[in-house]
Amino acid sequence: MLRLLVIGLLLYGLGTALRQGWLEIQWSRFLHDAGLTFIDPDRPLKLQEVPAISPERPESASP
């Protein structure tokens, strides 16, 4: 039971730190280190550029 309390407090603290801006996640470096080598680790990654969120659009759908 004590383990669950400690894990809960750690997750709460991590969430608070991310929300307050005390911690910053560099998604481009994280994804590059995870094996997505087509992502440039030195360029900031916008949310719409994340591969899982922005699916490939077919060529015929573009105006």
Side-chain angles (χ1 to χ4, degrees):
M1 188 66 169
L2 184 61
R3 283 187 215 164
L4 292 177
L5 177 65
V6 171
I7 290 172
L9 289 173
L10 285 173
L11 290 175
Y12 176 76
L14 183 61
T16 302
L18 287 171
R19 189 177 61 240
Q20 297 288 334
W22 301 334
L23 291 177
E24 178 182 307
I25 298 174
Q26 296 178 353
W27 289 108
S28 58
R29 288 185 185 218
F30 177 76
L31 291 173
H32 186 267
D33 289 343
L36 300 176
T37 56
F38 59 88
I39 295 176
D40 184 14
D42 296 325
R43 189 176 68 96
L45 187 65
K46 296 179 184 174
L47 184 62
Q48 64 265 22
E49 294 176 353
V50 175
I53 295 176
S54 61
E56 294 293 323
R57 294 186 178 100
E59 294 295 324
S60 60
S62 35

